[in-house]
Amino acid sequence: MTDIRVNLKKTEDKSYNIFIQDGSLSHIAAKIKEAGLGHKFAIITDSNVEPLYAKDLSEAFSKNDLSNKIISFPAGEENKNRTIKSWIEDQMLEGKFGRDSAVIALGGGVVGDIAGYVAASYTRGLPYVQIPTTLVACVDSSIGGKTAVDTPHGKNLIGAFHQPWAVFIDVNTLLTLSEKEIREGLAEVIKYGVISDNKLFSFLEENLDLIFSYNKEALTHIIKRGCEIKAEVVEKDERESNLRKILNFGHTIGHAVENLSNYNISHGEAISIGMVAEGKLAVEMGIWNDADLTKLINLIKKADLPTEIPDYMSSGQIIDAMKLDKKSRSGQIEMVLPKSIGEMSQIDGGYGIKIEEQIIEKVI
Ligand SMILES: NC(=O)c1ccc[n+]([C@@H]2O[C@H](COP(=O)([O-])OP(=O)(O)OC[C@H]3O[C@@H](n4cnc5c(N)ncnc54)[C@H](O)[C@@H]3O)[C@@H](O)[C@H]2O)c1
Ligand SMILES: [Zn+2]
């Protein structure tokens, strides 16, 4: 018998920078040129972002002698699928993109997730740059390296971990967002306040009107804190073995609500409902206090986000939906729950807390 060992133990440095700068969109091409990231660039975007920002970006690349092609697909979550991913890859193959290429993901989370996944698999992996243009993408999806597409069996089921080479955030791009999209991102920022930063939570309590009037300083502040918090969590636990689970606050019940509504309730709305419901569970279990929960409910209401599970959803349906979620462990429902605003509870060093179905039935 011959045993041959393939030694692959190595440490790889996947660190990257998140640049947050007003007006940075016009400097990105020069920075990429200077870094020598690649010879050919696929600027992947969607049909809404293309006319707003992709053309200027492409021109800036060309001015810097960086060969590039805009690949734009129809906007919308329903297009974050394998068919569109293959179509993008075919565009790149036909355009003779080789291993010396790089991907630029310009858009919201849909673009970032699908373009990141293309980058993860095209010629077995290309570097990619995230240029997030929604609040959700700035504070959440562009950081952390999770890339994926949806399937008829569920969202984000096919994908890869692939960290970007860099993230460039230009707050100016957020000025064209609808108020609804600001609210979507705000739900995640409220979550960051609860899981890790009571000062951010207070900032939101005091400055919501500035955020809704697209004040660049206020937006930049919440983006900066959101990125810092997500980066810190991902740094410590990239593969979600423990700490990274805290990012799922509001998402266990939230995903169930989102699913049961057939996606008529948006993600931000669903996690707002989820944070309140999970908060109520934490209070019922004696882990959290009523005064903090009331503060959370008030802030969510002030942001014009919902706090109540719709009447047409029963607790049984919600429990069944949670058990099907890819985050549940062997049918047992697990959640992360707050201890105070700014800190999550741990049991025996673990953030994931197993919850009895009876308590869920009682509370929701
Ligand atoms: N990878 C992760 O870790 C992670 C985390 C959170 C969310 N996500 C994913 O992100 C997606 C949601 O992201 P999203 O909320 O950004 O959705 P999205 O990408 O669909 O963007 C929302 C809408 O805004 C438009 N848009 C984008 N930028 C704009 C701009 N600057 N001005 C005007 N319109 C603009 C888009 O075309 C779209 O119609 C989901 O697919 C979700 O699964 C991934
Ligand atoms: Zn979320």
Side-chain angles (χ1 to χ4, degrees):
M1 196 175 88
T2 314
D3 286 358
I4 299 170
R5 181 164 176 78
V6 181
N7 282 303
L8 288 172
K9 194 173 176 190
K10 58 183 175 188
T11 43
E12 195 188 346
D13 188 356
K14 293 181 285 184
S15 312
Y16 53 94
N17 287 325
I18 304 166
F19 301 98
I20 306 173
Q21 198 193 341
D22 195 344
S24 61
L25 201 62
S26 47
H27 313 308
I28 294 172
K31 277 206 168 178
I32 284 176
K33 165 115 181 164
E34 195 186 307
L37 183 63
H39 289 104
K40 199 162 177 171
F41 296 84
I43 301 177
I44 301 176
T45 191
D46 73 20
S47 52
N48 290 334
V49 180
E50 183 190 6
L52 292 169
Y53 308 110
K55 299 215 163 102
D56 288 351
L57 189 69
S58 165
E59 272 172 27
F61 270 71
S62 300
K63 269 189 199 145
N64 280 278
D65 294 322
L66 299 172
S67 162
N68 68 92
K69 175 177 169 168
I70 297 175
I71 302 175
S72 170
F73 60 92
E77 181 74 32
E78 66 277 15
N79 297 312
K80 198 180 105 177
N81 59 40
R82 284 175 279 182
T83 310
I84 297 287
K85 179 182 181 256
S86 303
W87 176 81
I88 295 170
E89 289 158 350
D90 289 344
Q91 296 290 305
M92 290 175 64
L93 291 166
E94 282 161 24
K96 306 242 179 313
F97 280 80
R99 303 203 60 179
D100 60 346
S101 314
V103 166
I104 310 293
L106 174 71
V110 165
V111 168
D113 278 14
I114 200 166
Y117 188 31
V118 166
S121 53
Y122 193 87
T123 63
R124 301 203 184 87
L126 292 180
Y128 75 115
V129 170
Q130 289 274 18
I131 309 179
T133 63
T134 63
L135 187 54
V136 169
C138 288
V139 298
D140 196 354
S141 58
S142 67
I143 315 154
K146 283 188 181 176
T147 72
V149 291
D150 302 334
T151 78
H153 297 275
K155 285 177 67 174
N156 299 320
L157 291 181
I158 309 287
F161 278 96
H162 189 45
Q163 300 292 345
W165 175 78
V167 182
F168 292 94
I169 298 175
D170 183 347
V171 73
N172 283 321
T173 62
L174 304 192
L175 305 183
T176 49
L177 284 176
S178 65
E179 209 172 278
K180 182 181 174 299
E181 297 303 339
I182 295 284
R183 211 173 279 126
E184 281 296 295
L186 204 49
E188 301 287 353
V189 181
I190 294 173
K191 177 194 79 179
Y192 287 134
V194 177
I195 65 171
S196 133
D197 185 357
N198 61 3
K199 277 198 200 140
L200 175 62
F201 191 92
S202 311
F203 180 87
L204 293 172
E205 286 180 313
E206 285 152 28
N207 294 292
L208 271 190
D209 41 344
L210 281 182
I211 292 163
F212 281 113
S213 52
Y214 298 77
N215 176 285
K216 285 205 266 184
E217 267 173 38
L219 284 170
T220 304
H221 179 72
I222 61 173
I223 290 170
K224 183 170 166 281
R225 281 306 294 139
C227 289
E228 281 167 351
I229 293 165
K230 180 140 186 195
E232 194 187 327
V233 170
V234 170
E235 259 171 24
K236 289 185 181 148
D237 178 17
E238 186 190 0
R239 301 272 159 159
E240 199 168 319
S241 48
N242 187 20
L243 179 71
R244 190 167 180 166
K245 289 180 189 167
I246 69 172
L247 299 172
N248 296 330
F249 175 53
H251 283 60
T252 310
I253 293 179
H255 279 154
V257 167
E258 205 179 351
N259 277 329
L260 290 170
S261 79
N262 272 323
Y263 297 93
N264 286 317
I265 296 182
S266 72
H267 181 74
E269 290 165 347
I271 67 155
S272 299
I273 293 170
M275 285 191 283
V276 172
E278 292 174 17
K280 284 179 182 169
L281 275 169
V283 173
E284 176 68 28
M285 289 165 73
I287 294 175
W288 203 26
N289 67 75
D290 229 355
D292 277 356
L293 173 63
T294 305
K295 280 170 92 178
L296 174 63
I297 293 172
N298 288 341
L299 179 58
I300 292 175
K301 281 187 176 158
K302 207 171 159 194
D304 209 11
L305 284 159
T307 56
E308 298 284 336
I309 294 170
D311 288 339
Y312 67 86
M313 292 178 194
S314 70
S315 54
Q317 284 174 315
I318 290 176
I319 289 169
D320 288 345
M322 285 194 287
K323 284 185 181 166
L324 284 177
D325 197 291
K326 67 177 185 298
K327 288 187 175 68
S328 74
R329 314 258 165 221
S330 49
Q332 166 96 62
I333 296 165
E334 198 185 88
M335 284 180 200
V336 291
L337 298 173
K339 183 178 170 191
S340 61
I341 289 178
E343 191 182 354
M344 297 304 276
S345 297
Q346 295 181 63
I347 293 181
D348 300 328
Y351 286 98
I353 298 172
K354 302 230 179 329
I355 317 276
E356 299 299 328
E357 286 179 28
Q358 299 90 297
I359 303 183
I360 303 176
E361 270 165 15
K362 187 175 168 199
V363 170
I364 58 181

